[in-house]
Amino acid sequence: MKFTINFSANVVAFLLSVFLSVWMTPFIVKTLGVEAFGFVHLTQNVINYFSIITVALSSVVVRFFSVAAHRGKLEEANGYLSNYLAASVILSLLLFLPLTGAAFFIETFINVPAALLADVRLSILIGSLLFVLTFFMAGFATGPFYANRLYISSSIQAVQMLVRVICVLVLFTCFTPEIWQIQLAALVGAGAAAVLSVYFFKKLIPWFSFRMKDLSFQTSKKLFQAGAWSSVNQIGVLLFLQIDLLTANMMLGASEAGKYAAIIQFPLLLRSLAGTLASLFAPVITSYYSKGDMEGLVKYANQAVRLNGLLLALPAALLGGLAGPFLTIWLGPAFAQLAPLLYIHAGYLAVSLAVMPLFYIWTAYNKQKTPALVTLLLGGLNVLLAVTLSGPAHLGLYGITIAGAAALILKNVVFTPLYVSYITNHKKHVFYKGALAPLSAAVFAWAVCKALQLFYTVDSWTSLIATGLVVSCCYAVFAFGVICTKEERQMAIKRLRKQKGAVNI
């Protein structure tokens, strides 16, 4: 039941993100221009590079807190979180100087038109405050995670997005539109989320209290040592996810980077959805590990990969199958020529995102050294390929996309299942079983998209949405009748009847 609630809340939050992106992007592009729009995301990417330092704490505190609390060691759990909060304040103060420096010397790193320089600098300064606040508030995510009530986190994110959009509209209406206003709106939204996070944390973890006596150099050292490889991993993640726009800016110019910033939003949303869905399985994976039930953990992880992949196959197929009509309707005919970029993104994401629940196994085992080094190595490969293919090979934005596809497939499809099978002492192929069904389901949905477009033209929001609904219905029938096993179908019917009975009562 908790999974169903958590999943429903995350889907609602994701759909809200999609709606806001669909509505906000054309509005901002039309208001600020495509070149300026590129810096909305690029400035945030520059700030995110500093997460290499902060992730050493934020990535492990949830794990240590939850394992200790699940084992009944509440004092130990209290100490972990107290040390995180104190260390996050100290680190934030230390990082503020280089963050400020990045704002005033940004033109030495990226191509910024003179007319936008002051705007970009102010955006980075405001974004720095947002970064610091987000870092500090990460500790309060331990509440929903430990209680396995991730729907609370999703609801808070939804509120944060709504506040952000409202603020953008107010600022753009009352003042001359500028890039920094988008960052300011994001900061206000994060402030609202912070208030809600603290409130629900106190409700879920009433026994926690920040105490000076719990502050310990040894505890902080333990967190930093455990998170050191997370920092290395974060470098690789940034080379995967935060280098595309920077490469486009440096190799192809601000205008091309602006176009790429617009269309990359939906692949990024799909990655975000994958990460959010994968996190739904993390509390149970952590619980299995904490209790020493390794067989249960492996069985559950296999089911998680299969379900996660089936949930992601549909949006990935829709993104690729309807890319041309979508870009034309959404941003205009000028963007339709970039549809092949979305074909590539949809293809490799459908293949590589299913296995993301497995990331939480090596986190639970605290075996993060090898994944971190592999992520760093392949992230470097991504950068090398992106620069080479977009510049000397003259593939432009397609080179950047192909580079990301190759590197992520190597990391997620090749390395991750093999490494997890190694640390759990199982056969090499055991975690590949769950990834095959989602791939066939994605191909089916893509084929339905293409087949429908042979019979009628998708040239309006109405026809686009109608096509998406038809494909979704066909996908549901195919997945339930062909992909799902007999046991899975019986379980689904049983849960449906149970929920129906509860409603009737």
Side-chain angles (χ1 to χ4, degrees):
M1 180 60 71
K2 283 186 177 180
F3 179 84
T4 302
I5 297 173
N6 289 338
F7 170 72
S8 300
N10 276 279
V11 169
V12 171
F14 172 73
L15 292 176
L16 180 60
S17 298
V18 171
F19 173 76
L20 294 179
S21 294
V22 169
W23 177 73
M24 283 288 291
T25 300
F27 174 72
I28 295 175
V29 168
K30 183 178 179 180
T31 306
L32 296 177
V34 67
E35 190 175 74
F37 180 77
F39 289 101
V40 173
H41 296 279
L42 189 54
T43 52
Q44 188 58 51
N45 286 357
V46 171
I47 297 167
N48 287 342
Y49 296 151
F50 289 90
S51 64
I52 293 170
I53 300 172
T54 61
V55 76
L57 279 175
S58 60
S59 65
V60 297
V61 64
V62 173
R63 184 263 181 195
F64 277 90
F65 179 92
S66 298
V67 170
H70 278 305
R71 291 174 175 173
K73 301 178 181 179
L74 301 186
E75 289 292 323
E76 184 178 339
N78 200 91
Y80 285 131
L81 186 52
S82 294
N83 277 270
Y84 171 82
L85 295 176
S88 66
V89 172
I90 295 172
L91 265 180
S92 295
L93 293 174
L94 293 175
L95 286 174
F96 199 73
L97 181 60
L99 283 167
T100 304
F104 287 99
F105 295 99
I106 187 62
E107 71 275 13
T108 63
F109 305 110
I110 60 177
N111 296 317
V112 185
L116 296 175
L117 184 57
D119 200 356
V120 170
R121 284 174 174 170
L122 186 54
S123 295
I124 295 178
L125 288 174
I126 298 173
S128 300
L129 295 176
L130 173 62
F131 174 79
V132 168
L133 177 61
T134 303
F135 174 38
F136 177 76
M137 293 308 301
F140 293 95
T142 53
F145 186 93
Y146 165 70
N148 196 13
R149 296 186 180 181
L150 299 179
Y151 62 87
I152 293 177
S153 299
S154 300
S155 301
I156 292 174
Q157 290 172 7
V159 171
Q160 181 176 348
M161 287 185 287
L162 285 174
V163 172
R164 177 188 174 194
V165 170
I166 293 171
C167 287
V168 168
L169 289 175
V170 171
L171 290 170
F172 276 26
T173 302
C174 298
F175 305 96
T176 302
E178 304 283 356
I179 299 173
W180 65 265
Q181 293 168 359
I182 299 174
Q183 288 285 17
L184 179 60
L187 179 61
V188 174
V195 173
L196 292 173
S197 296
V198 172
Y199 171 79
F200 283 108
F201 176 84
K202 290 182 177 179
K203 290 288 185 181
L204 296 172
I205 315 291
W207 45 266
F208 172 79
S209 61
F210 180 84
R211 297 175 301 192
M212 294 297 294
K213 69 175 185 178
D214 287 330
L215 300 183
S216 164
F217 176 76
Q218 291 301 322
T219 301
S220 296
K221 181 180 178 182
K222 184 177 181 180
L223 290 173
F224 271 110
Q225 287 178 335
W229 289 112
S230 293
S231 290
V232 175
N233 182 75
Q234 184 66 8
I235 298 174
V237 170
L238 291 174
L239 294 177
F240 268 109
L241 300 181
Q242 307 288 340
I243 205 68
D244 289 8
L245 284 179
L246 183 60
T247 303
N249 176 275
M250 296 179 67
M251 301 298 296
L252 306 173
S255 180
E256 288 295 292
K259 294 177 183 178
Y260 196 67
I263 68 165
I264 197 67
Q265 288 186 83
F266 283 88
L268 290 178
L269 276 174
L270 191 56
R271 290 191 187 205
S272 176
L273 175 64
T276 302
L277 291 178
S279 70
L280 296 179
F281 303 100
V284 178
I285 289 175
T286 304
S287 178
Y288 273 121
Y289 174 80
S290 301
K291 297 172 183 177
D293 185 359
M294 298 301 111
E295 291 302 318
L297 184 150
V298 172
K299 181 179 179 181
Y300 181 80
N302 265 314
Q303 294 172 340
V305 169
R306 181 180 174 87
L307 179 57
N308 192 56
L310 287 174
L311 293 172
L312 292 167
L314 177 60
L318 290 173
L319 181 66
L322 298 173
F326 172 66
L327 288 176
T328 301
I329 298 167
W330 181 40
L331 295 174
F335 282 82
Q337 61 181 337
L338 299 177
L341 291 174
L342 288 186
Y343 300 160
I344 300 171
H345 279 294
Y348 79 84
L349 291 178
V351 173
S352 61
L353 296 182
V355 302
M356 288 183 68
L358 300 181
F359 296 173
Y360 293 96
I361 293 183
W362 66 55
T363 300
Y365 274 75
N366 200 21
K367 299 282 188 179
Q368 302 188 69
K369 178 180 178 179
T370 301
L373 292 175
V374 171
T375 302
L376 178 62
L377 176 64
L378 293 178
L381 176 64
N382 177 42
V383 175
L384 180 62
L385 285 176
V387 171
T388 302
L389 294 178
S390 64
H394 304 293
L395 293 179
L397 296 177
Y398 293 95
I400 297 173
T401 305
I402 293 170
L408 194 64
I409 288 174
L410 287 173
K411 175 181 176 292
N412 284 9
V413 180
V414 178
F415 166 75
T416 296
L418 293 176
Y419 181 69
V420 173
S421 65
Y422 169 75
I423 65 175
T424 56
N425 294 316
H426 282 74
K427 295 181 179 179
K428 295 180 179 180
H429 67 275
V430 68
F431 292 107
Y432 281 104
K433 296 178 180 179
L436 295 177
L439 179 59
S440 60
V443 172
F444 171 81
W446 178 86
V448 174
C449 284
K450 292 302 181 182
L452 290 175
Q453 292 177 71
L454 295 177
F455 295 96
Y456 63 89
T457 303
V458 180
D459 55 4
S460 66
W461 282 114
T462 301
S463 58
L464 181 68
I465 294 171
T467 303
L469 291 175
V470 171
V471 174
S472 299
C473 291
C474 294
Y475 178 86
V477 173
F478 177 80
F480 185 80
V482 179
I483 299 298
C484 291
T485 63
K486 182 179 179 180
E487 180 183 358
E488 290 170 339
R489 287 194 292 269
Q490 290 174 344
M491 185 181 299
I493 293 172
K494 184 178 179 180
R495 288 188 177 183
L496 183 63
R497 287 175 177 173
K498 185 178 180 180
Q499 292 178 358
K500 184 178 179 180
V503 171
N504 291 334
I505 292 174

